[in-house]
Amino acid sequence: MDLNAIKKKLKGLSLREKLIAGITTAIVVFIVPYMFLYEPSKKAVGIKRQSFESILKDVTTLDTVIKAQPPEVPQAMPVTLPKADTFHEMFLAISRQANALGVDFISISPEVVRQKDRFIEMRLKLELRVKYRQLYDFVRYLGEKHRLLLIESIRFETNDAVYPQGIALIKALTYLEKT
């Protein structure tokens, strides 16, 4: 239908029918978009604005609480040397615990030894025959008991022939007192 055909049909309508068509057109053009587009968007914006104001209020409350608390100063852990004073004594202490955990040493050797003030800095290379869980327990023991034995890297290798055991290569750094 073209525009001329619509005009001819409108001329043939009575005043009552034209009034009904005009009201229907106004409803379709103005009220339906308002009800289905504007009103839901307005409600969504209102809900998001309330949520934002609530979050802003919570943030300001937390900010005042945080400012009211005195800052915590972290306690530095005291630096203690391992109970062993020599490489031999340290190795014995570590190997006792390794045996208790079921870890077999293949080798332990110093790679680099340097003098640092009143300490000796020593880089170690430990090769172990171990299962993965035993390796975890052993490394945790080293971290808890020998705080100055710093683990730099761990490499764990296994194959079908020795699985679930494998070979672990641990590179560590330690400090010993000069005697």
Side-chain angles (χ1 to χ4, degrees), residues 7 13 36 62 69 78 101 103 116-117 137 141 156 170 172:
K7 284 182 185 179
L13 295 177
F36 291 107
L62 286 174
Q69 293 178 347
L101 294 172
V103 174
K116 293 264 185 163
D117 296 328
D137 291 338
Y141 164 78
F156 184 77
I170 299 175

Side-chain angles (χ1 to χ4, degrees), residues 110-157:
E111 290 186 324
V112 178
V113 178
R114 286 189 214 147
Q115 302 288 330
K116 293 264 185 163
D117 296 328
R118 45 186 205 111
F119 301 108
I120 298 172
E121 178 186 87
M122 188 180 303
R123 294 192 183 277
L124 301 173
K125 179 177 149 185
L126 293 91
E127 289 184 71
L128 314 166
R129 183 174 294 115
V130 65
K131 293 181 181 175
Y132 186 75
R133 175 63 189 195
Q134 294 165 334
L135 177 63
Y136 167 76
D137 291 338
F138 182 67
V139 169
R140 195 177 87 217
Y141 164 78
L142 291 177
E144 290 174 358
K145 301 296 182 194
H146 294 279
R147 295 201 186 276
L148 289 182
L149 188 69
L150 306 172
I151 296 176
E152 295 177 326
S153 68
I154 299 174
R155 193 174 78 215
F156 184 77
E157 297 176 355

Side-chain angles (χ1 to χ4, degrees), residues 27-67:
I27 288 173
V28 168
V29 170
F30 296 108
I31 295 175
V32 170
Y34 176 81
M35 288 175 57
F36 291 107
L37 298 175
Y38 178 75
E39 192 65 30
S41 298
K42 183 179 173 182
K43 286 181 183 176
V45 167
I47 290 170
K48 288 183 181 181
R49 182 171 285 133
Q50 286 177 345
S51 174
F52 174 75
E53 289 170 357
S54 173
I55 290 171
L56 188 61
K57 182 180 175 184
D58 291 344
V59 167
T60 55
T61 303
L62 286 174
D63 190 36
T64 58
V65 168
I66 289 172
K67 287 180 180 177

